Each structure stands twice: as structure tokens, then as C-alpha cells.
Amino acid sequence: MISTADDGHFKIWDLRRAEGQQFTMTFKAAEDSLCVGSFNPINEHLFAVAGEESGNISVWDMRMPADAINHFIHHSSQVTLLEWSPESEYILASGSDDHKINIWDQSNAGAEQGRGDYDDGPPEMVFP
């Protein structure tokens, strides 16, 4: 389970452990509040957190917890919903207070874009 906090931290909990030993890790992912976190249903090591006023989404891998492995930035307001695809470990949907839903494909992160594609958003955004 993942919990998020107003101080920009998230915590990972393992509810299978004995009471009092369930907390496993905490990291600071944002300068302001986080309000949503979601584990990937296919890859148990991946999860995403969001909620900053900037609209930033961070994808993390529990095997490399020092820093996020991807940042998705295209919302103009706080992200309040994250949902992973049940069919692909790479696809993530996000909903925001900017009244938009974006579909992301993290396998495209860092891909080169043609000059005419910049206006459409980053390469990892499949559908705005």
C-alpha cells in the first residue's frame, strides 16, 4: 500500500508483515503536497505518485528508490487521479484539476520527437 502526504513524502507499507513492522520506506517526491499514489498491477515494483500544484507525476521503482525513474509533466494543475492499465505495465492514465485526462506510455520516455510534434506534448504522452 502507498500513502501520500501534504509534506511531499510518500510511504510504502507492507500489510502482510506483523503489526508495527508494516512500514517499509519513505521518500520525498515533491516540494508541496502529494494526494494520490498508485501501484502498477502488472509490475509489483512500479508505482506512481502525484498531487503537486505543478501537475507533475513521478514514476518510481522500488528496486531503485533513490529517485524517480520517470517524470510526466503536461498537466497545468494538480493531478488527483492515477490509474495503471491492467493490460500493459507501461500505460498510465492521469486526471487533473485542469479538467484533462492524459494517457502516458512510459516506454516512450526520452524518445526523440520530430520538430512538428513538440506542440502535441512529450513523447510519452499517448493521448491528451
Side-chain angles (χ1 to χ4, degrees), residues 49-69:
V49 294
E52 294 179 81
E53 290 298 322
S54 66
N56 186 34
I57 301 165
S58 301
V59 178
W60 295 73
D61 187 326
M62 288 198 315
R63 297 166 294 189
M64 301 176 289
D67 199 9
I69 60 171

Side-chain angles (χ1 to χ4, degrees), residues 60-114:
W60 295 73
D61 187 326
M62 288 198 315
R63 297 166 294 189
M64 301 176 289
D67 199 9
I69 60 171
N70 282 322
H71 293 279
F72 300 146
I73 304 168
H74 199 69
H75 284 290
S76 61
S77 193
Q78 184 179 43
V79 173
T80 56
L81 174 76
L82 293 172
E83 189 68 38
W84 290 96
S85 167
E87 305 293 323
S88 172
E89 72 179 85
Y90 303 107
I91 304 298
L92 176 69
S94 61
S96 170
D97 286 346
D98 64 8
H99 307 288
K100 295 180 182 172
I101 295 174
N102 292 335
I103 308 297
W104 305 90
D105 182 348
Q106 70 172 358
S107 68
N108 291 334
E112 289 190 35
Q113 285 183 291

Side-chain angles (χ1 to χ4, degrees), residues 11-14 17 21-26 62:
K11 292 183 179 182
I12 303 294
W13 305 81
D14 187 347
R17 292 184 177 187
Q21 299 176 3
Q22 295 176 338
F23 171 73
T24 60
M25 67 175 71
T26 186
M62 288 198 315

